[in-house]
Amino acid sequence: MPSTSKPSPSSAASAVVAVAVTVALAVVAAGVAAAQSGATDPRSSLDFGTRLTVSFGAGFVINLLLGGALVAFGPEYAARKLDEFRDDPGETVVWGLIVGIGVPIALGILAITIIGLVIAIPGALVLAGVGIVGSAVMVGVVGSFLTHGGDPDGTAVLVGALVLALATAIPVLGGLINWLVTLPGVGMVGHDLYRSWRG
């Protein structure tokens, strides 16, 4: 008698993520191959398409890895950040502006002096880490809003990575879109660090 058991949601999500990674790597490889073949004529129409393909592929893989790592290793944290964003998106944006604009300006001012440089260099490294985790958070948040609306999982990460890669691959505006989308995530992670520092 054939088995009627269904695969568990986590194994289904893992399969979806594995397929997505394979497709993304294939897209990147195709873009690199096209770039190498079209390198003789930089003015060809293939050049723009190649750049677009590589930009999309790289963005997709990076977002997928970041969001997937967060959901795999910190699912409770990802769920808390989604709830925090739902509860007060305005506060997350304000904190994003503080952490994403105010802190770099403060670090730049500190870096003018030798003593301040000792503080600014580790501060810049911490800020880079906050940016990476904040990006991962927003991959899950965007994906959750576009799919089932529940806690971030493999499907949400896949959708979030795909949508963010498409948005950030837009010429000229892609960088700005990426910054605006990740701003609330950076704010939430920075706010967490601030609260833990305050005790």
Side-chain angles (χ1 to χ4, degrees):
M1 184 170 178
S3 171
T4 56
S5 64
K6 295 180 181 177
S8 68
S10 61
S11 65
S14 299
V16 169
V17 170
V19 169
V21 169
T22 304
V23 170
L25 290 174
V27 168
V28 171
V32 170
Q36 290 173 346
S37 66
T40 55
D41 184 10
R43 294 173 291 175
S44 70
S45 61
L46 182 64
D47 190 51
F48 175 75
T50 300
R51 284 198 313 260
L52 204 60
T53 301
V54 171
S55 175
F56 165 76
F60 179 67
V61 170
I62 290 169
N63 286 329
L64 191 64
L65 292 175
L66 290 176
L70 181 67
V71 169
F73 298 113
E76 297 86 8
Y77 184 78
R80 281 201 318 271
K81 295 298 107 186
L82 175 62
D83 292 338
E84 188 177 329
F85 184 79
R86 279 185 182 141
D87 291 343
D88 196 350
E91 183 182 7
T92 64
V93 171
V94 169
W95 272 100
L97 292 171
I98 292 169
V99 176
I101 296 176
V103 171
I105 289 172
L107 290 174
I109 293 170
L110 277 173
I112 293 173
T113 66
I114 298 295
I115 296 171
L117 194 60
V118 173
I119 299 169
I121 291 173
L125 293 174
V126 170
L127 188 61
V130 167
I132 290 169
V133 177
S135 296
V137 166
M138 290 313 294
V139 169
V141 167
V142 169
S144 292
F145 274 106
L146 293 175
T147 56
H148 49 73
D151 291 344
D153 58 9
T155 304
V157 167
L158 176 62
V159 172
L162 180 64
V163 169
L164 291 179
L166 285 170
T168 56
I170 296 171
V172 182
L173 296 176
L176 177 63
I177 292 170
N178 185 52
W179 183 76
L180 289 173
V181 170
T182 58
L183 196 64
V186 169
M188 288 186 279
V189 176
H191 194 194
D192 285 346
L193 281 179
Y194 177 73
R195 281 185 295 223
S196 65
W197 176 69
R198 288 290 300 266

